[in-house]
Amino acid sequence: MRLMQFDLLTTDTASQARAGKLTTDHGVIETPIFMPVGTVASVKGVHQRELREDINPDIILGNTYHLYLRPGTEILQKAGGLHKFMNWNRPILTDSGGYQVYSLSNRRKIKEEGVKFKSHVDGSMHLFTPENVMEIQRKIGADIIMAFDECTPYPCDYKYAKRSMHMTHRWLDRCITHFDKTPALYDYDQVLFPIVQGSTYKDLRVQSAEYIANANAFGNAIGGLSVGEPAEEMYAMTEVVTAVLPKEKPRYLMGVGTPINILENIALGIDMFDCVMPTRNARNGMLFTAYGTINIKNQKWEDDFSPIDDMGITWVDTEYSKAYLRHLFKCHELLGMQIASIHNLGFYLWLVRQAREQILAGTFTNWKEKMVKQMDNRL
C-alpha cells in the first residue's frame, strides 16, 4: 500500500484550467478526467472489456446508496471489495448517498443524527449516518470516498441552505473522526473528499469552501450544483469556490454535466467530473459529437449510411452507420442503446483528454471557445 498523491503539472495562462496526475494503488488518473457512472457495479449497457479497451477511463464511479441495498456490503466484503466483485482493476470513486437522499424527498427524513429513508427496492427502512456511511464505503472499497452531505434542491430558501450547509459541516467532522479511526479493509489506500455546499448563494459557498479547505483532506468536492439551476449560476458558484479551495489538491465537481458544462468548468479549475448524461441520453437516442448533438431517431438519418461519427473516436463510430443505429432504435433493439452508450462515453473521455493536451500545450482557451460553439448545435 502506498499513499495517494496528486501532482499539479500546469495551469493554463489564460484561464484556471489545470492538468494534473493523481496516483493511486489502482493506477494513475490523468486530470482533467471524466468518470463514467457505474451505479450498481456496472456502467449501464457497457461490458467491462469494452470499458477497459475502448472507452478506457482512468477511473469510474460507484454509488453507495445502491450498492448498500444491492448486493449489500456483506457480499462486497466477501468478494474482497468492489474492484474484485466487478472485475475492475482501475481506480473507483464512491459517492456517499447524499444525492440519492436528496432525490428521495418523499421517502426520507433528515435529522441531525442522519437520514432515515425507505428503500426504493422493497420499502424497508434504513438509516444513513456520517459514521455508518464511512463504514459502508470502507467495505465497498473505493479508492476515493465521499463525506456524507445534504444536497439542497434548486431553488432553495436561503435559511434552509444555510442550515443545511452547517449540518453538512457537522456531518463532515463526524465523517473525518470515524474515517480516521477505521482502518482500510483491503491492501490499498483510501482517501476522503469533503463536499462544499451552499446552494447558489455566494456568501454560503465561500463560507463552505473555507470550512472544507480547513479540513485539510486529500481532495475536495463541490456538490449541490447541476440540480436545475441555470448554467450561468453553476459557473458563478464554481468560480467562487475554486478561488478558495487549495490549488495543490484535486477538485471534483459532482454530477456535471453536458460536454459544454465540462469544458467551461475545466476553465474554472475543476479536475474531476461524473454524470449519467452520456449513458442516459444514449439510451434515448441522443448522441454527443464534436460538431453538435444528434437525435438518431429522427427520420433524416433513415438513409444516411455515413459512419455514426467520422472522427472515429471509438470502434463503433466507424463500424456502424447512422441509418443502422436508427434502425436499431426504431426496433427497440438493445444493441442500439449499447452502441450509443459506447459512443457517448468514448466522446466524453476524448473531450477531457483533448482538453488536457490543450492545457499542456498552452492552447486551451482558444480551443475551448471553438469547441463550445461547435458543440452547441443540433445536427
Side-chain angles (χ1 to χ4, degrees):
M1 182 191 294
R2 60 183 175 184
L3 294 179
M4 217 172 288
Q5 180 178 330
F6 178 69
D7 298 302
L8 182 60
L9 303 180
T10 190
T11 301
D12 182 55
T13 55
S15 71
Q16 297 301 310
R18 301 135 54 93
K21 184 175 72 170
L22 204 171
T23 305
T24 79
D25 284 316
H26 283 105
V28 172
I29 302 162
E30 294 188 332
T31 63
I33 190 64
F34 176 80
M35 300 179 282
V37 176
T39 303
V40 293
S42 166
V43 176
K44 200 177 287 287
V46 180
H47 194 287
Q48 269 83 311
R49 184 178 64 250
E50 293 161 332
L51 199 61
R52 275 192 302 268
E53 296 176 5
D54 194 54
I55 298 162
N56 194 27
D58 294 340
I59 179 172
I60 63 171
L61 180 144
N63 184 272
T64 293
Y65 166 85
H66 289 283
L67 293 169
Y68 162 76
L69 292 177
R70 294 183 298 192
T73 53
E74 183 180 347
I75 297 296
L76 290 170
Q77 197 169 356
K78 282 182 179 178
L82 181 58
H83 293 85
K84 290 182 178 178
F85 182 66
M86 68 178 292
N87 189 28
W88 179 257
N89 61 2
R90 299 183 189 180
I92 298 174
L93 178 149
T94 42
D95 65 11
S96 68
Y99 182 81
Q100 279 61 45
V101 165
Y102 151 79
S103 63
L104 293 169
S105 57
N106 61 338
R107 289 172 168 261
R108 48 85 167 147
K109 191 166 187 178
I110 302 172
K111 292 185 176 181
E112 186 69 31
E113 178 191 13
V115 180
K116 287 184 178 179
F117 63 91
K118 184 183 289 188
S119 164
H120 74 286
V121 177
D122 60 9
S124 58
M125 294 301 298
H126 302 268
L127 174 68
F128 270 1
T129 68
E131 291 80 11
N132 71 13
V133 164
M134 293 298 96
E135 292 176 8
I136 291 165
Q137 289 185 88
R138 282 292 201 194
K139 291 174 182 176
I140 293 171
D143 302 83
I144 300 170
I145 74 175
M146 307 305 296
F148 192 50
D149 67 324
E150 183 191 1
C151 177
T152 51
Y154 179 86
C156 183
D157 174 76
Y158 181 86
K159 288 183 179 178
Y160 185 92
K162 184 176 181 180
R163 187 167 64 248
S164 172
M165 177 196 73
H166 284 302
M167 185 171 67
T168 287
H169 294 169
R170 292 191 297 273
W171 284 357
L172 170 62
D173 293 341
R174 290 165 58 189
C175 284
I176 292 171
T177 298
H178 204 75
F179 179 78
D180 287 346
K181 70 181 184 183
T182 53
L185 297 175
Y186 311 111
D187 60 347
Y188 50 87
D189 190 26
Q190 286 181 294
V191 296
L192 173 67
F193 279 28
I195 303 172
V196 177
Q197 289 290 349
S199 188
T200 53
Y201 300 103
K202 181 177 178 180
D203 62 322
L204 296 184
R205 284 288 175 178
V206 169
Q207 188 177 345
S208 187
E210 289 172 346
Y211 196 95
I212 266 57
N214 287 334
N216 197 31
F218 176 85
N220 299 295
I222 305 170
L225 295 175
S226 194
V227 292
E229 79 283 356
E232 292 71 24
E233 290 201 44
M234 178 206 303
Y235 303 147
M237 293 303 102
T238 300
E239 187 170 20
V240 162
V241 170
T242 54
V244 176
L245 293 179
K247 290 180 169 55
E248 70 278 8
K249 297 185 177 186
R251 303 160 175 169
Y252 163 34
L253 181 57
M254 305 178 75
V256 174
T258 68
I260 291 174
N261 291 158
I262 287 175
L263 288 190
E264 295 292 3
N265 282 295
I266 287 174
L268 296 171
I270 297 296
D271 306 302
M272 303 169 69
F273 301 88
D274 81 283
C275 191
V276 297
M277 188 172 287
T279 46
R280 179 177 289 169
N281 283 27
R283 295 193 300 275
N284 292 311
M286 184 69 71
L287 307 180
F288 296 103
T289 79
Y291 296 95
T293 54
I294 294 173
N295 183 347
I296 202 65
K297 295 179 183 179
N298 286 349
Q299 190 171 358
K300 67 184 290 185
W301 311 115
E302 184 178 24
D303 59 355
D304 187 330
F305 303 107
S306 66
I308 292 171
D309 186 343
D310 58 13
M311 293 182 70
I313 291 167
T314 67
W315 63 269
V316 297
D317 295 334
T318 52
E319 199 153 306
Y320 303 109
S321 69
K322 296 182 181 75
Y324 178 63
L325 185 55
R326 179 183 184 274
H327 159 72
L328 295 177
F329 270 94
K330 298 306 284 187
C331 294
H332 306 289
E333 168 55 53
L334 293 177
L335 179 60
M337 292 186 279
Q338 185 180 23
I339 290 170
S341 295
I342 292 169
H343 164 78
N344 277 356
L345 287 171
F347 175 72
Y348 267 63
L349 267 298
W350 173 85
L351 187 67
V352 293
R353 284 172 176 149
Q354 286 291 305
R356 189 176 198 274
E357 287 183 17
Q358 299 293 332
I359 294 165
L360 290 170
T363 53
F364 172 77
T365 299
N366 288 340
W367 173 83
K368 187 264 291 184
E369 290 174 358
K370 181 188 79 171
M371 288 298 298
V372 165
K373 286 178 183 175
Q374 283 183 191
M375 292 187 299
D376 194 24
N377 292 313
R378 295 187 75 89
L379 301 177

